[in-house]
Amino acid sequence: MKSIAKSENLGVASRTKFLSFPWSSHAWIPDLQQMRLLATQSECADRLASAVESERQCTSQMRSLIDQISVQQGKIVALEEEKKLQDEEFTHLKALVQDLEKKGLQSLLNNLEVPVAAVVIMACNRPDYLQRTIQSVLKYQTSVASKFPLFVSQDGTNRDVKNMALSFKQLTYLQHLDFTPVHTERPGELIAYYKIARHYKWALDELFIKHNFSRVIILEDDMEIAPDFFDYFEATASILENDKTIMAVSSWNDNGQVQFVHDPKTLYRSDFFPGLGWMLSKSIWDELSPKWPKAYWDDWIRLKEIHRERQFIHPEVCRTYNFGEHGSSMGQYFKKYLEPIKLNDVHVDWKTMDLSYLTEMVMRGSNIKIKLTLNKLHDNLGYLKNGRMAFPGQHIKEL
């Protein structure tokens, strides 16, 4: 028994001795865990570095994509603007085609009765003014529409003005679209006067060159006309056409305030261009169009080198009335000079009127008579100085 116990004790001792050996000690377990932890940390660090690099690459790619998107968005905006302009031009052309189809403009031009003159109302951004002007013109134009075809020419894209013009089926709508930047020649100038000059040239080129009218009457979108407006221009059209000393015929008198005018039948020749409702011929426009000014076209026509001593016919009593208190000129002098203008309100039968006194030959004869009369007065003054006087039918006698 003792031997067995001894052997068992020896076994226990040997086991105890084995377990106390360093390789079997519990001290190696933390080291192994630490190694594993370090390995895991190293692996995580590698993964983190890889993730950071991937994020950096993604950020770089994202910035590149954002830059590309920004460029593409800029191109899209430019294309949208271009498409918008093309759509507006297409809509404009479509409206013109439809309008021409409805009115049969070509058949009007081919009609046996040649129009006296096209009438164009120049408009921009005042739909209420335009409506008042169109209604005033149509009141007297409807009965003579074949002689005086009516147009409205709009400068720009104001939709209310366009809709207003297209709501009247008795007229033909024109639209001037020019988006070229305006550069004034002097600081402080209003751009509006440059745009107006552009519009006038374009509209008159359209009517004279494209539509081949022989005469055009120009109105603005703030005018009312007299009952005999069209008869007046029909009566003076032949003078404008045949008398080369006449440059244009106007329906306006700058001094036509009610206190100054009396005779609705009286017409004058003047060296000053009145404007405000005026008629010119194609031959004159062929001369003016190539050198048309950038701005202030009415003042330009008044220059001596432009009118070249040709004159303008105008009435004593105006056949147009300007109610445009609000416009490019800011209503300057409206109350003092424009509002008191008298618009003719009586019927004048211009077809029976003898207007030969306005022609060049009669004017020359009148000038000769005036000169002869002045010469006689001069001679008689000479006789008076010498103490003599002459009476009609008598010999000169000493005083």
Side-chain angles (χ1 to χ4, degrees):
M1 292 295 289
K2 287 182 179 180
S3 61
I4 294 171
K6 186 178 180 179
S7 61
E8 288 178 354
N9 290 334
L10 288 172
V12 170
S14 62
R15 286 197 301 273
T16 304
K17 185 179 180 181
F18 175 80
L19 290 173
S20 65
F21 191 76
W23 287 100
S24 61
S25 173
H26 288 286
W28 66 273
I29 294 176
D31 293 338
L32 182 61
Q33 290 177 343
Q34 187 174 7
M35 290 175 64
R36 289 178 178 176
L37 179 61
L38 288 173
T40 303
Q41 287 177 342
S42 178
E43 183 180 355
C44 289
D46 291 341
R47 289 181 180 180
L48 182 61
S50 177
V52 170
E53 177 63 21
S54 298
E55 183 181 7
R56 187 190 66 76
Q57 292 179 356
C58 288
T59 302
S60 177
Q61 292 176 356
M62 185 178 298
R63 287 175 179 173
S64 177
L65 288 173
I66 290 172
D67 291 340
Q68 293 178 19
I69 291 171
S70 178
V71 171
Q72 294 300 323
Q73 285 178 336
K75 291 181 179 179
I76 290 171
V77 170
L79 289 172
E80 286 177 347
E81 288 295 324
E82 185 177 354
K83 183 179 181 298
K84 183 180 177 182
L85 292 176
Q86 290 177 346
D87 289 343
E88 288 180 353
E89 291 180 2
F90 174 77
T91 304
H92 165 62
L93 292 173
K94 184 178 178 181
L96 285 179
V97 171
Q98 291 175 347
D99 195 49
L100 291 174
E101 287 175 349
K102 289 179 181 179
K103 297 181 174 67
L105 179 61
Q106 192 59 46
S107 63
L108 173 64
L109 295 176
N110 294 333
N111 197 292
L112 292 176
E113 184 178 19
V114 178
V116 174
V119 180
V120 59
I121 301 171
M122 309 295 284
C124 181
N125 56 6
R126 302 184 292 186
D128 51 340
Y129 277 21
L130 179 61
Q131 181 181 25
R132 181 173 169 180
T133 298
I134 293 175
Q135 289 173 341
S136 173
V137 172
L138 289 178
K139 185 177 180 180
Y140 306 110
Q141 184 263 358
T142 304
S143 61
V144 292
S146 60
K147 293 182 179 181
F148 297 94
L150 180 59
F151 294 79
V152 166
S153 181
Q154 179 189 356
D155 185 31
T157 59
N158 186 290
R159 190 164 296 278
D160 292 333
V161 169
K162 183 174 184 177
N163 291 337
M164 179 60 67
L166 292 175
S167 69
F168 291 91
K169 304 305 178 184
Q170 305 94 318
L171 57 84
T172 300
Y173 173 75
L174 306 174
Q175 187 176 26
H176 175 233
L177 297 174
D178 187 348
F179 301 102
T180 307
V182 175
H183 302 288
T184 61
E185 294 183 344
R186 290 168 291 275
E189 288 183 295
L190 291 176
I191 291 177
Y193 292 115
Y194 287 79
K195 291 186 175 181
I196 290 170
R198 283 186 186 179
H199 183 203
Y200 266 74
K201 175 168 170 45
W202 179 85
L204 292 174
D205 278 343
E206 283 285 303
L207 295 171
F208 278 122
I209 299 172
K210 184 175 180 179
H211 295 303
N212 200 32
F213 284 104
S214 58
R215 287 172 292 274
V216 174
I217 298 170
I218 301 99
L219 291 170
E220 296 173 13
D221 63 350
D222 55 3
M223 292 181 178
E224 292 180 340
I225 66 171
D228 61 344
F229 176 88
F230 293 107
D231 290 340
Y232 165 72
F233 278 111
E234 185 172 5
T236 54
S238 60
I239 301 176
L240 176 63
E241 200 66 35
N242 299 320
D243 190 340
K244 301 308 176 185
T245 64
I246 297 295
M247 190 170 187
V249 177
S250 176
S251 58
W252 178 262
N253 177 9
D254 281 298
N255 299 310
Q257 289 79 15
V258 64
Q259 67 270 29
F260 301 137
V261 298
H262 307 285
D263 187 358
K265 297 180 181 180
T266 298
L267 306 181
Y268 299 97
R269 287 174 64 121
S270 171
D271 295 321
F272 184 81
F273 171 61
L276 294 179
W278 55 292
M279 177 173 66
L280 77 164
S281 65
K282 188 176 186 301
S283 61
I284 296 295
W285 182 246
D286 289 341
E287 173 191 330
L288 299 181
S289 179
K291 55 185 179 182
W292 193 251
K294 294 181 180 179
Y296 313 110
W297 63 267
D298 45 353
D299 290 332
W300 177 78
I301 291 178
R302 295 179 182 119
L303 297 176
K304 189 173 182 179
E305 59 267 29
I306 300 302
H307 66 73
R308 293 187 296 152
E309 297 185 353
R310 287 170 292 188
Q311 295 183 311
F312 306 90
I313 294 175
H314 72 83
E316 179 174 317
V317 183
C318 289
R319 263 58 187 185
T320 47
Y321 179 78
N322 187 291
F323 58 83
E325 184 173 3
H326 305 291
S328 299
S329 60
M330 311 298 182
Q332 290 178 323
Y333 311 115
F334 177 81
K335 291 291 183 182
K336 187 174 182 179
Y337 294 108
L338 297 180
E339 194 172 52
I341 288 287
K342 176 178 174 58
L343 178 66
N344 180 55
D345 57 0
V346 300
H347 176 72
V348 175
D349 186 4
W350 291 105
K351 292 182 177 64
T352 62
M353 295 286 292
D354 181 9
L355 301 180
S356 61
Y357 66 92
L358 295 168
T359 60
E360 178 187 14
M361 295 305 295
V362 175
M363 289 296 293
R364 281 184 180 179
S366 298
N367 288 338
I368 292 172
K369 290 179 181 178
I370 291 171
K371 287 180 180 178
L372 289 174
T373 302
L374 289 174
N375 287 338
K376 287 182 180 179
L377 287 172
H378 181 268
D379 291 343
N380 285 339
L381 286 173
Y383 292 136
L384 285 172
K385 287 181 180 178
N386 295 323
R388 297 176 296 173
M389 177 174 285
F391 295 94
Q394 294 182 351
H395 296 289
I396 295 173
K397 63 179 181 180
E398 296 290 338
L399 290 178

